[in-house]
Amino acid sequence: MRPVRFVALGDSLTEGVGDPVEGGRRGWAALLAPSLAESVDFTNLALSGAQTRDVLEKQLPAALALRPDLVSVVIGVNDTLRCTFDLHAVAARLDTVYGDLTRQGAAVLTACLPDPGAMLGLPGPLARPLARRQRAVNDVVHALSERYGALHLHAATGAWITDRAMWSADRLHPGERGHRQLAVRCHALLAEAGLATGPAPSPQPQRPAPTRTASLWWLATAGTGWVARRCTDLLPQLLSLAADELHHRARGTSARLDLRTSAAVSAALTALSAGEAEAA
C-alpha cells in the first residue's frame, strides 16, 4: 500500500517560521504529516513571502506533478500587506488553485487567518483597514472552500489569537505552541472526515515561549528590516486608508467602509460565477 501523499502550499506560516528546529524550520504542516497515516510522503512547497500569485504560478504546478492525496493551501496574508492588493485577483487565483487540485482528486485543506494589524498591535486607524482586507480574503476562502468541498479550519478567531504563549517573538507567526495548536486542530478536522487515521500531534511544546525581551530584540533587529520594507511598499497607501478611516469615524459613517468591503467580496465571487457561465 503506497503512502499518503501530503503536499503543503503557502507562505512563511506553512514553511514553519516561528518553529525553528535543528537544521531549519518545522511548522504545523510537518507536525501534522506523521499523524495522517502509518506511512506518509510529505512535501512542503510553502515559501516565506509567497502571495496567491506565487501559489498559482509556482507551487500549484509542482503540487499537481506529485499527484497528492491531500493538499493544504493556506495563503493570503502577504497579499493584504502589499500596495498591489486586488481582491478580485486573489479570488480568481484561489478559485483556480482549489479547482485544479480538486479536479485531480486531491482533498484540499484551507484556513482563514487573523489580521496582521491586530497581531502587530498597530493603532486603530492603521489596523482597521488591514483587518478589512484580511476579513475579505477570509470571506473569499470561506466561500470557495464550500464551493469545492474543502476542509476549512476557522483559525481567524479564538482564544489562541490573544494567548501570547502561542506566538513567536515577531507577533506575526505562531511559535512552537501555536504551530502545534494548528496541527492538532487540522488533525481533528481531517480525522472527522476520515482522512487522518494516526494519533493526534502532541500539543505540548519542547521549548519555552519567547520572552518579552526576545520580542523587543526581534523588533530592534530583524523587525526593523520588515518595517522598512513595508514602509516603502504598503505604508503610503495604508496612511491614505487610515486618513479615510478617520474621516468616516469623525462623520459617524464607518459602517460604509464595512459595506464597501462586503460589496467587494460579493463582486469578486460573482465575477467568478460569471466567468464559469461564459466558459460553459
Side-chain angles (χ1 to χ4, degrees):
M1 185 174 182
R2 73 171 179 83
V4 171
R5 295 172 183 164
F6 172 34
V7 177
L9 310 182
D11 54 24
S12 54
L13 172 66
T14 303
E15 185 188 30
V17 172
D19 184 27
V21 293
E22 185 176 353
R25 296 162 173 165
R26 181 176 49 189
W28 70 269
L31 289 164
L32 171 66
S35 299
L36 296 176
E38 185 175 344
S39 179
V40 179
D41 185 358
F42 172 58
T43 304
N44 194 344
L45 298 174
L47 188 65
S48 292
Q51 300 177 53
T52 51
R53 180 187 298 277
D54 300 299
V55 169
L56 174 63
E57 296 179 354
K58 300 175 183 178
Q59 298 179 24
L60 176 64
L64 291 172
L66 294 169
R67 304 199 66 82
D69 302 295
L70 172 67
V71 182
S72 64
V73 184
V74 182
I75 193 70
V77 170
N78 285 318
D79 290 81
T80 71
L81 294 173
R82 298 296 190 275
C83 64
T84 54
F85 177 68
D86 182 342
L87 185 63
H88 284 250
V90 168
R93 292 166 191 153
L94 291 178
D95 183 59
T96 300
V97 171
Y98 296 173
D100 286 0
L101 291 169
T102 302
R103 282 187 286 272
Q104 195 185 68
V108 178
L109 173 65
T110 65
C112 57
L113 299 169
D115 73 90
M119 300 308 300
L120 285 169
L122 295 179
L126 295 175
R128 282 189 287 272
L130 288 181
R132 286 193 186 89
R133 285 186 174 187
Q134 189 60 53
R135 283 201 303 271
V137 171
N138 286 342
D139 287 346
V140 165
V141 171
H142 291 161
L144 293 180
S145 295
E146 183 174 353
R147 175 181 297 182
Y148 288 104
L151 293 154
H152 180 67
L153 178 68
H154 293 271
T157 58
W160 86 294
I161 300 299
T162 55
D163 184 351
R164 191 68 191 86
M166 292 285 180
W167 297 87
S168 66
D170 66 14
R171 302 185 183 184
L172 277 174
H173 300 95
E176 181 191 357
R177 188 184 296 271
H179 278 284
R180 288 185 177 276
Q181 171 83 350
L182 288 173
V184 168
R185 292 177 64 184
C186 286
H187 179 271
L189 193 65
L190 293 166
E192 185 177 357
L195 296 175
T197 58
S202 171
Q204 298 304 319
Q206 299 171 333
R207 299 179 303 280
T211 63
R212 179 175 176 79
T213 299
S215 297
L216 293 173
W217 178 252
W218 180 87
L219 290 171
T221 55
T224 57
W226 188 91
V227 171
R229 289 190 294 274
R230 294 288 73 76
C231 284
T232 57
D233 180 12
L234 175 65
L235 189 56
Q237 184 186 66
L238 187 56
L239 290 175
S240 176
L241 292 172
D244 193 34
E245 184 82 32
L246 291 170
H247 173 73
H248 278 279
R249 285 183 68 84
R251 298 182 60 183
T253 56
S254 295
R256 293 182 183 176
L257 297 174
D258 295 323
L259 291 173
R260 187 186 302 169
T261 299
S262 297
V265 172
S266 297
L269 295 173
T270 299
L272 295 179
S273 299
E276 291 176 358
E278 290 179 4

